[in-house]
Amino acid sequence: MADHPPPPPPHILVFPFPAQGHALALLDLIHHLSLRRRFSLTVVTTPKNLPSLAPLLSLHQPPFLNLLVFPLPPHPLLPAGVENVQQIGNAGNLPIITALHKLSDPIANWFHSQPDPPVAIISDFFLGWTLALARRLHIPRFAFFSTRAFLASLNDHLFADVEAVRDMDPVVFDQLPGSPTFKSEHLPSTFRRYVPGNSDWELVREALLSNLLSDGCVFNTFHALEGPYLDFLRRKMGTQKVYAVGPVSLLGTGGDPKNLGDHPGSDVIHWLDHCPDNGSVLYVCFGSQKLMTNHQMEALAAALEQSMVRFVWVVKKPGPEMEFSLPDGFQDRVSGRGLVLDGWAPQVTILNHPAVGGFLSHCGWNSLLEAVAAGVPILGWPMEADQFVNARLLVEDLGVAVKVCEGADTVPDPVELGRRIAQSMSQGLAERKRAGEMKDEALAAVEQGGSSQIDLERFVQDLQKLQIEEKGEGIK
Ligand SMILES: O=c1ccn([C@@H]2O[C@H](COP(=O)(O)OP(=O)(O)O[C@H]3O[C@H](CO)[C@@H](O)[C@H](O)[C@H]3O)[C@@H](O)[C@H]2O)c(=O)[nH]1
């Protein structure tokens, strides 16, 4: 008897959230899932977000990687043409989440028109409403977290009973591992900005609460960093389908900005190549969406100048036509030891350059993990979102970071910040040794037999079983 042809690869619908700090990590995971052609993935996006998928599309094509493009539904808080949080900063999260929710029906209609519809949805944790969509379509939903496992528990705890913590300060989380305590001003921005009864905010609240009710959760973290929180989530969700697969920046080049044609990175690498290979360069970057005020820029410029350290500083401009405000003559005075880059840099490549030995960061989770994976100590300036909570882990619990400033609107004292920078870049820094140890743990996690590699393979196998279940081939 002739052999049956192999079944087609499982079709999965993937829905990234259009913010670089969310999407790049999921693109790295998509890249990994697309390798060896084990899946047929359909990625939901909007027209203006297509360029950010270019690196992925240069590596994978249909039928293994497909796009499903919808115009972004309008929202009164979204200026025309804005489709990504990077364009308007953190305040863009709410209207973009709400606008994307309106794609529920169009996606369901598309699903029903497919000869081979998806057997699962993998979607960003800001898109928790996709759980209701998945239930409608009778398929499982896996939440992808571009941030840490602890944040999932924290958000769930905060939004489950808002009143219980509303007036508490500090807030004690005695049901979470380690019973952490945070000042209320350090809690995630989504919670601090939440307006009870407002329909957009209620959607966000429900979406965040849907994550731990989903069929599984995938985290850009690794066991050695967050073991107790991952175990807590497995108990809370009552499933082993909690996968820690990070650092995803080590998985491949799915979202690596160095592949983007309009963000050339060769000049900065060339510049770094001419610096001594001794970790003497400080890399300064505050993620993809934080726009600093002129006063903050001036203070930081003065601090960098006074520190006398070598540096690469990525400066985000207020608009394509606008200039950033640096003190007069600054670039001339730091010429040869400081490089200012306009808007975007190949961060992962820079962090892994041997000349780089420190990272002044806002403590966005991806930046932190990328620094950990590169063994670079962090000089933390947490500002908003989950950044205070992340800084706590890196500074107090793991000892790979020092805090040099805090607050989204803070204008640091240049003399003090310059002194802290100079001190932190010294070779004797204890955090430098710890960063080297954490790097070894991160690399071990993604190697064959490592915790993240095992979880990734579990995830792949669990997704493949769905196809077999769907085709009625016997997995119970
Ligand atoms: O010039 C740049 C700037 C950023 N990046 C990349 O962009 C990502 C930025 O992510 P992250 O460090 O997490 O910062 P944000 O863009 O600010 O991310 C948002 O989303 C994260 C979670 O997904 C949160 O942890 C942050 O607090 C929140 O601000 C990282 O992969 C960086 O490598 C570059 O490659 N080049």
Side-chain angles (χ1 to χ4, degrees), residues 236-294:
K236 181 158 177 82
M237 292 179 70
T239 177
Q240 288 302 306
K241 291 181 179 168
V242 170
Y243 317 88
V245 302
V248 294
S249 60
L250 295 174
L251 290 182
T253 57
D256 190 335
K258 73 174 177 287
N259 291 330
L260 285 177
D262 57 347
H263 296 303
S266 53
D267 289 354
V268 56
I269 302 308
H270 186 71
W271 190 87
L272 287 169
D273 285 343
H274 285 83
C275 295
D277 278 357
N278 61 358
S280 60
V281 177
L282 176 71
Y283 172 60
V284 184
C285 181
F286 302 104
S288 65
Q289 57 194 46
K290 173 66 187 168
L291 189 61
M292 299 186 98
T293 63
N294 284 348

Side-chain angles (χ1 to χ4, degrees), residues 74-356:
H75 187 284
L77 295 178
L78 277 184
V82 171
E83 296 185 12
N84 191 299
V85 177
Q86 186 180 14
Q87 296 168 274
I88 50 171
N90 185 294
N93 285 329
L94 178 73
I96 294 182
I97 292 173
T98 322
L100 288 171
H101 177 235
K102 296 181 194 139
L103 293 181
S104 219
D105 285 344
I107 293 174
N109 294 339
W110 166 85
F111 179 95
H112 291 303
S113 73
Q114 294 301 296
D116 176 26
V119 294
I121 299 180
I122 303 172
S123 55
D124 186 273
F125 74 106
F126 269 9
L127 303 174
W129 57 265
T130 51
L131 175 61
L133 173 66
R135 293 284 180 261
R136 228 170 112 189
L137 304 175
H138 304 291
I139 58 174
R141 182 246 174 175
F142 295 85
F144 176 76
F145 285 79
S146 49
T147 184
R148 46 187 296 225
F150 176 65
L151 192 78
S153 318
L154 191 68
N155 274 335
D156 191 71
H157 189 85
L158 288 169
F159 282 106
D161 190 355
V162 174
E163 288 314 311
V165 279
R166 247 324 189 211
D167 299 319
M168 240 195 240
D169 197 6
V171 186
V172 185
F173 296 92
D174 48 14
Q175 285 142 12
L176 301 185
S179 305
T181 301
F182 290 99
K183 284 193 215 172
S184 69
E185 67 187 89
H186 289 172
L187 293 177
S189 312
T190 32
F191 178 72
R192 294 181 47 234
R193 293 188 183 155
Y194 165 71
V195 181
N198 171 291
S199 57
D200 285 0
W201 276 112
E202 290 307 336
L203 178 81
V204 170
R205 174 171 176 264
E206 267 174 51
L208 290 172
L209 287 172
S210 293
N211 288 325
L212 299 194
L213 302 172
S214 296
D215 299 83
C217 288
V218 187
F219 290 96
N220 182 17
T221 189
F222 58 102
H223 184 83
L225 262 192
E226 289 206 283
Y229 300 121
L230 292 161
D231 292 340
F232 175 80
L233 286 170
R234 289 186 183 113
R235 285 196 302 276
K236 181 158 177 82
M237 292 179 70
T239 177
Q240 288 302 306
K241 291 181 179 168
V242 170
Y243 317 88
V245 302
V248 294
S249 60
L250 295 174
L251 290 182
T253 57
D256 190 335
K258 73 174 177 287
N259 291 330
L260 285 177
D262 57 347
H263 296 303
S266 53
D267 289 354
V268 56
I269 302 308
H270 186 71
W271 190 87
L272 287 169
D273 285 343
H274 285 83
C275 295
D277 278 357
N278 61 358
S280 60
V281 177
L282 176 71
Y283 172 60
V284 184
C285 181
F286 302 104
S288 65
Q289 57 194 46
K290 173 66 187 168
L291 189 61
M292 299 186 98
T293 63
N294 284 348
H295 284 128
Q296 287 176 312
M297 295 271 296
E298 281 156 15
L300 180 52
L304 288 169
E305 195 175 335
Q306 289 172 31
S307 72
M308 296 307 289
V309 303
R310 289 191 188 84
F311 65 87
V312 171
W313 179 13
V314 188
V315 175
K316 196 168 178 305
K317 286 199 293 189
E321 308 304 323
M322 299 166 82
E323 285 305 311
F324 36 73
S325 148
L326 290 170
D328 278 350
F330 170 74
Q331 304 228 46
D332 293 336
R333 290 196 297 279
V334 298
S335 165
R337 79 168 167 94
L339 186 64
V340 178
L341 299 176
D342 178 356
W344 192 264
Q347 177 161 306
V348 173
T349 311
I350 291 175
L351 285 171
N352 283 286
H353 195 286
V356 173

Side-chain angles (χ1 to χ4, degrees), residues 20-22 24 146-147 257 283 285 287-289 314 343-345 347-348 362 364-367 370 385-387 390:
Q20 301 302 74
H22 288 239
L24 292 178
S146 49
T147 184
Y283 172 60
C285 181
S288 65
Q289 57 194 46
V314 188
W344 192 264
Q347 177 161 306
V348 173
H362 68 323
W365 184 246
N366 298 284
S367 290
E370 289 158 7
D386 52 352
Q387 296 153 17
N390 298 342

